Amino acid sequence: MTNEYEVIIIGGGPAGLSAGLYTSRARLKSLLIERGVVGGQIADAELVENYPGFAEGISGLELGQLMQQQAAKYGLNTITAEVTGLELKGEKKVVKTTKGKFTARALIIASGSERSKLGIPGEEEFSGKGVSYCATCDGPFFKEKPVAVVGGGDVAITEALHLVKFASRVKMIHRRDQLRATRILQEKATAEPKIEFFWNSLAEKIEGEDVVKRLNLVNVVTGEKSTLDVGGVFVAVGFKPNTDYLKDFLPLGKAGFIITNEKMETKIPGVFAAGDVRLNSAQQAITAAGDGATAAIFAEKFLSG
Ligand SMILES: Cc1cc2nc3c(=O)[nH]c(=O)nc-3n(C[C@H](O)[C@H](O)[C@H](O)COP(=O)(O)OP(=O)(O)OC[C@H]3O[C@@H](n4cnc5c(N)ncnc54)[C@H](O)[C@@H]3O)c2cc1C
């Protein structure tokens, strides 16, 4: 396999796959590097109802696979490897991976984000033993058990609505007195009899023996402490960008997200960023795909300019 490309795309979620479709159709020799399953976070979504063109909705896994097939049809090369570092000084950018070095004149960084951790006692100890970051992946393990979902945004509500199919009861722990989620999701959650809300509450400690048994809470208004008997704790409190591998090579913005302009250009000429990895991204599959297309179009202009 040759190691020289015109464009290298880091990450195979909606942003990277969309960028790959555009660069390949533009006849640019393109390589997409993905460390895991192609599709990115959207592969974890059971049903995607807000991606235009799929009036009945589509499973996230299938959506990711279709995106990959479409890009591959136009010649996108994909490899499974983790990007560990970059060299951005010369005209040719060097991408270091677990499968060797690759070079290109333009880079599109689309490495997305992953769930933030709560950082409380018991979280790490019981990770995979009742503590989960993906209801779609782990929901069926919690049949007829009470579970807690920590968070109050779209992802937390989506997780809770998925879990009602399996769990006996879903206890939503939110640190504020109202949800941040979009209205349609709030309406669905409040209409669901199995979902119970614990407002103004912070998760303090996860306890158990071999598996999770209890979640300790503190009320941020009254200071009152309480304990919930639960068989699982689903964490949905936000996202952190996958940019640790970039921090020595690229100036990063707030919380490690990448700053770009409206052309998806970073501060380094020829280096673009797209999707959830960008500061202030809308964190949706469609916006990530749009960013990927924009980055690819301006990468093409950069290469021909
Ligand atoms: C459970 C769930 C449900 C969702 N439901 C919806 C929905 O219904 N509608 C909607 O619009 N959005 C939904 N989203 C959000 C949507 O999935 C994301 O906004 C979108 O996937 C972001 O795309 P992205 O390409 O920017 O990043 P990601 O999807 O995060 O993809 C980034 C990819 O980069 C890879 N990567 C990271 N670091 C490296 C590295 N060093 N080397 C190589 N590869 C790397 C990762 O493995 C990943 O595959 C949902 C998300 C989740 C978690």
Side-chain angles (χ1 to χ4, degrees):
M1 181 170 51
T2 171
N3 286 2
E4 279 195 33
Y5 291 85
E6 287 171 290
V7 185
I8 291 178
I9 299 155
I10 303 171
L17 290 168
S18 156
L21 169 65
Y22 272 73
T23 59
S24 306
R25 271 193 89 238
R27 300 275 179 264
L28 295 171
K29 194 173 167 213
S30 310
L31 175 69
L32 185 147
I33 305 172
E34 166 58 53
R35 67 178 173 189
V37 178
V38 170
Q41 294 172 68
I42 203 66
D44 288 342
E46 189 180 53
L47 182 68
V48 181
E49 289 180 320
N50 54 4
Y51 199 88
F54 299 96
E56 303 307 319
I58 180 168
S59 91
L61 192 63
E62 195 184 348
L63 182 59
Q65 286 166 348
L66 286 173
M67 287 181 183
Q68 184 185 20
Q69 281 166 23
Q70 195 177 358
K73 187 173 139 191
Y74 293 99
L76 178 68
N77 297 286
T78 302
I79 60 159
T80 307
E82 175 151 15
V83 176
T84 52
L86 304 172
E87 279 170 27
L88 301 176
K89 294 240 162 68
E91 202 198 327
K92 271 192 189 165
K93 279 101 189 149
V94 180
V95 179
K96 297 176 187 169
T97 81
T98 46
K99 294 210 178 130
K101 288 184 183 180
F102 299 86
T103 61
R105 278 175 56 219
L107 285 188
I108 299 176
I109 299 166
S111 45
S113 59
E114 61 189 25
R115 296 285 178 87
S116 297
K117 303 254 167 26
L118 289 170
I120 60 172
E123 182 180 22
E124 200 150 331
E125 184 188 345
F126 293 107
S127 183
K129 297 174 189 159
V131 173
S132 168
Y133 300 86
C134 177
T136 316
C137 320
D138 299 332
F141 298 124
F142 296 86
K143 272 199 186 107
E144 295 310 320
K145 288 184 186 159
V147 297
V149 174
V150 185
D154 281 1
V155 173
I157 298 294
T158 308
E159 301 277 74
L161 289 167
H162 178 69
L163 287 167
V164 295
K165 293 185 207 157
F166 311 101
S168 57
R169 197 132 193 93
V170 178
K171 300 167 194 243
M172 296 240 34
I173 318 304
H174 189 38
R175 64 192 163 137
R176 300 205 174 90
D177 59 1
Q178 55 187 0
L179 297 169
R180 278 181 294 115
T182 45
R183 267 219 200 125
I184 185 163
L185 286 175
Q186 292 195 29
E187 283 164 16
K188 281 187 185 176
T190 43
E192 171 51 59
K194 271 195 189 174
I195 297 181
E196 190 181 351
F197 291 92
F198 292 77
W199 303 112
N200 298 317
S201 297
L202 276 185
E204 260 197 337
K205 189 177 183 192
I206 299 165
E207 293 179 336
E209 280 103 54
D210 292 338
V211 292
V212 168
K213 298 269 189 215
R214 290 171 298 278
L215 175 64
N216 296 341
L217 304 181
V218 59
N219 186 299
V220 290
V221 178
T222 63
E224 198 182 316
K225 300 204 179 222
S226 57
T227 299
L228 302 179
D229 291 326
V230 289
V233 177
F234 287 82
V235 181
V237 290
F239 295 87
K240 78 179 250 313
N242 294 321
T243 52
D244 282 355
Y245 68 100
L246 293 172
K247 62 179 187 284
D248 296 334
F249 313 102
L250 192 69
L252 299 173
K254 196 175 149 199
F257 287 92
I258 302 176
I259 300 168
T260 65
N261 62 16
E262 71 281 6
K263 295 178 185 171
M264 307 298 141
E265 291 167 328
T266 67
K267 294 214 164 70
I268 299 179
V271 179
F272 299 78
D276 282 18
V277 77
R278 285 200 316 120
L279 186 64
N280 297 330
S281 138
Q283 297 190 317
Q284 292 291 291
I286 182 65
T287 54
D291 281 1
T294 306
I297 288 166
F298 287 102
E300 186 190 356
K301 286 194 201 311
F302 169 81
L303 290 171
S304 59

